[in-house]
Amino acid sequence: MWAIAKRELNLFFSSAIGYLTLGLFLTVSTLFVWFFDTEFNALNSGFADMNVFFTLTPWLLMFLIPVIGMRSFSDEIRSGTLELLLTKPIGLWNLVIGKFLGGFFLLLFALLPTLVYFIAINELKVDNASVDWGSTFSGYLGLLFLGSGFLSISIFSSLLSRNQVTGFLVATLIIFFQFYLWSGIADLSQNALVYNIINEIGMQEHYYSMSLGVIAIKDLIYFIGLNSFFLYSCTFLLKQIKR
């Protein structure tokens, strides 16, 4: 399992695409948070917190994570190495988790440099202001859970085609639907119960709850369940390929 994760990391950084992808993510987030005069600019928010970053980042991860996950299985299928992997003495679940861990470590690499934003906000605040450490911690935790959900969807999508571009597009479409469209559909309902049920299906409600400093058991269960569903679906597809 760990060997698979290490292999994923090596493959991602074996070409300039890996470095360019992470560099582009950090560049775009830095420009929006500090330079562009938009609603995501931390200097315009007037508060010593990271809320603007936590609002912006899901939209960036919506494109970053599919790039990370698009080659996890589609490249193996295209090159014919998947059949070789399936003959190795490694369980299908361990194979999928190894791919997932490799992508999760890449997500960590992408988010760790953004801690500089928090340090900068702490330095720029006025003397009598206090930084909201709790919402910052829960916000990053929310990003990790959200990113892991995006990643499990991307890995699942990569199994559906041997073409990486197709895997990327399918993953982006599913992620966009799961993150954004459920809340849009819920807004069309005039019944409070129906609104809450539909809204809870989507990822947006659970993520924003965590990004605001509320770590609820139901949100953790949701993301764990979502990851389990797509990762177990990967093992099901692998069983069909193995036959």
Side-chain angles (χ1 to χ4, degrees), residues 29-46:
S29 64
T30 301
L31 289 174
F32 271 97
V33 173
W34 296 107
F35 295 98
F36 291 163
D37 188 16
T38 67
E39 60 182 311
F40 301 115
N41 192 299
L43 300 177
N44 293 338
S45 68

Side-chain angles (χ1 to χ4, degrees), residues 200-213:
E200 290 290 331
I201 298 175
M203 305 170 78
Q204 189 179 67
E205 176 70 16
H206 299 278
Y207 166 70
Y208 281 150
S209 176
M210 296 182 70
S211 68
L212 294 175

Side-chain angles (χ1 to χ4, degrees), residues 121-142:
I121 290 175
N122 188 47
E123 292 296 323
L124 292 172
K125 69 178 178 62
V126 295
D127 293 336
N128 59 345
S130 59
V131 178
D132 193 343
W133 291 82
S135 66
T136 300
F137 171 78
S138 63
Y140 271 106
L141 185 64

Side-chain angles (χ1 to χ4, degrees), residues 21-33 36 40 52-68 107 110-111 114 117 143 146-147 150 168 172 175 179 207-208:
T21 302
L22 295 184
L24 183 62
F25 167 77
L26 293 172
T27 300
V28 172
S29 64
T30 301
L31 289 174
F32 271 97
V33 173
F36 291 163
F40 301 115
V52 291
F53 173 73
F54 295 137
T55 303
L56 168 69
T57 305
W59 299 100
L60 300 181
L61 292 182
M62 201 173 292
F63 297 97
L64 171 68
I65 299 299
V67 171
I68 292 176
L107 173 63
L111 291 179
T114 65
Y117 303 164
L143 282 179
L146 182 71
F150 288 178
F168 171 82
T172 304
I175 288 170
F179 180 76
Y207 166 70
Y208 281 150

